[in-house]
Amino acid sequence: MHIIPGTGTRNPLTTQVNDMTQDQLKQAVGQAAADYIRPKLEKDSIIGVGTGSTANCFIDALADLRHDFAGAVASSEASAERLRGHGIEVYDLNQIGQMEFYIDGADEINAQLEMIKGGGAALTREKIVAAVAKTFICVADASKQVTLLGEFPLPVEVIPMARSYVARELVKLGGDPVYRDGVVTDNGNQILDVFNLRIDDPRGLESRINQIVGVVTNGLFAQRPADLLLLGTEQGVQQIQR
Ligand code: 5RP
């Protein structure tokens, strides 16, 4: 692990290290991710872009680099719209053969860089884009770092007609699923948030939940964890490698 001292001159917030708000930490890691990939970009590079408030900070920082790469693949309609708003071309993943970087936030991340994601209901597309990318860079403020995953309720995307069945199966696994009322994912599905799971085997639980018929995917990113964490702290942005 090492600390990136005094990052970025374009965003004055990244140089302020004391009493930073969570929003300022998110901006600092968004800028740090753009700074990290900048020297590695090529004119034909396609960047995978995640979803959420921290990913939004990255998108905003990426805008300055828009002439240095070809475009992006987004993990949600919301991120696609924000990218286009900055003049960044958005590609369909099916058009893309390879992708060096995927940059996204997390709801929780542990020391193995395994994560819970899906607080913004974009987990399935996030998992798909992350699977294609060679390097997954997680951008997160220090509040997201945990020893044991599971205090944040685990999002599970379900086919609507299977919701009650899947909920009963999740209870058998020891969880307390709650329907995220009114939320429809970009894929037309629903979300169950599972409280009180004991996640001491993230990889095993990820497989087990995905095997329940009617589950599209769950928000455990353990089989494909992040490769690099850019963690926003009061002392600066820490780089934590897997
Ligand atoms: C969206 C996600 C986000 O990455 C996660 O919810 C973190 O969001 P934020 O950066 O707003 O805290 O998985 O589905």
Side-chain angles (χ1 to χ4, degrees), residues 26 51-55 104-107 117-123 126 144:
K26 288 178 183 187
T51 299
S53 55
T54 319
D104 199 357
D107 298 300
K117 292 182 45 53
L123 59 159
E126 291 172 342
K144 306 294 183 64

